[in-house]
Amino acid sequence: MIGIFDSGLGGMTVTRAIEQLCPGYPLLYFGDLIHTPYGPKSSEALTEYAIRNTEFLIAQGASLIVIACNSAASIAGNVLREKFSCPIIDVIEPAVNQAIVSSTNGTIGVIGTQATIKSDVYPQKILAKRPHYRVHSQACPLLVPLVEEGWLNRRETKTITKKYLQPLRCKQVDTLILGCTHYPMLKHVIRPRIGKRVKIIDSSTETALFLKNFLDKNPEIAKGLSSQKVTNRFFVSDLPAPTQSLAQSIFGRPVHLEKVHA
Ligand code: DGL
């Protein structure tokens, strides 16, 4: 089974893309809603949560992990790769690869949580591949709580998003990485505020494509995953009121969320 985790609902955007692009693989999702948001947390706390989430998914039968959370991946991705022997894929590399080929003026914007932006992981990875590029980063700490509250179309959300994107507009970025898996749920708010010519890189789609490519290249691993029964399960460490309906709106169908102590 493929185990996928995030701090909350954001990783479901990745899960949905994996369902669509890699059908036939059973998925286990874990949303650590009791600890959401991850963005403002310390590196120690994020690392502890990431290890615990991975252990939980492996105990449920996962043999490949997708870190569907930029905050956890940027802080704890390497720790998880050292600690666990199963393949671990994250959302950062796929988005970086797509952004560098999408940009024509070499000016890329990245939006993410405080943890992701502070880690500097996107500029470092982009500049390692394209040293002449310019990368402008912007932390957007209020967006995750707004999404988790279901405030996807509120005036306040639009105003706050505009304020966050203004500095990137001034820098004339031609490509914008959504460096948080919650942000695809705000694409309809981000698109008109960053400008219609800017290419938006959605790490959920890019990660699903990256995973598909990885499984194509590793048929033994793919075979081990697909030989099991396709029953997707969705676990959460807490179940606040808006969660169920938001999960349903991400998948376009009712999703049964199982509350667990991970
Ligand atoms: N969706 C996650 C990310 O990609 C976590 C956001 C948060 O909990 O702050 O960063």
Side-chain angles (χ1 to χ4, degrees), residues 80-261:
L80 296 188
R81 286 188 185 91
E82 277 167 29
K83 195 172 167 60
F84 299 96
S85 57
C86 63
I88 297 184
I89 284 170
D90 69 41
V91 283
I92 297 171
E93 195 77 34
V96 164
N97 292 346
Q98 187 53 36
I100 60 178
V101 296
S102 290
S103 179
T104 47
N105 72 358
T107 310
I108 296 176
V110 182
I111 54 173
T113 66
Q114 301 100 306
T116 301
I117 298 306
K118 207 170 138 219
S119 77
D120 208 35
V121 66
Y122 277 101
Q124 283 173 17
K125 283 189 184 284
I126 293 168
L127 297 176
K129 292 179 190 233
R130 296 284 191 281
H132 58 290
Y133 274 28
R134 290 161 303 280
V135 185
H136 301 285
S137 307
Q138 175 69 46
C140 307
L142 295 173
L143 297 189
V144 169
L146 289 168
V147 169
E148 294 282 343
E149 266 308 301
W151 282 30
L152 304 183
N153 290 304
R154 297 277 189 119
R155 193 161 40 87
E156 293 85 345
T157 306
K158 293 174 185 168
T159 307
I160 290 166
T161 304
K162 185 175 175 196
K163 195 154 179 56
Y164 284 144
L165 293 177
Q166 190 55 38
L168 299 178
R169 278 192 81 130
C170 294
K171 299 286 183 190
Q172 298 187 320
V173 302
D174 77 344
T175 302
L176 177 71
I177 298 178
L178 304 185
C180 173
T181 54
H182 282 70
Y183 300 170
M185 284 181 259
L186 292 175
K187 223 191 253 178
H188 62 289
V189 177
I190 293 169
R191 163 56 70 209
R193 286 163 185 84
I194 191 65
K196 60 177 185 296
R197 282 197 202 91
V198 174
K199 284 158 235 144
I200 293 182
I201 308 297
D202 176 342
S203 59
S204 49
T205 316
E206 299 310 325
T207 303
L209 287 166
F210 186 93
L211 176 63
K212 185 176 176 346
N213 193 28
F214 174 84
L215 295 173
D216 288 346
K217 283 190 182 147
N218 293 278
E220 278 313 305
I221 295 174
K223 205 170 149 219
L225 296 168
S226 61
S227 60
Q228 294 149 11
K229 212 168 137 251
V230 183
T231 318
N232 296 348
R233 293 182 75 182
F234 297 86
F235 301 103
V236 287
S237 54
D238 196 15
L239 198 42
T243 306
Q244 190 71 60
S245 63
L246 275 166
Q248 179 160 342
S249 70
I250 293 169
F251 285 94
R253 63 168 197 270
V255 175
H256 174 56
L257 300 176
E258 303 176 49
K259 191 173 159 191
V260 288
H261 285 288

Side-chain angles (χ1 to χ4, degrees), residues 5-11 13-14 29 32 35-41 46 67-74 91 112-116 122 140-141 143-145 148 178-184 203:
F5 77 82
D6 179 44
S7 65
L9 291 162
T13 61
V14 181
Y29 184 79
D32 192 12
H35 295 124
T36 200
Y38 276 8
K41 302 282 187 325
L46 277 186
I67 313 174
C69 173
N70 290 262
S71 311
S74 58
V91 283
T113 66
Q114 301 100 306
T116 301
Y122 277 101
C140 307
L143 297 189
V144 169
E148 294 282 343
L178 304 185
C180 173
T181 54
H182 282 70
Y183 300 170
S203 59

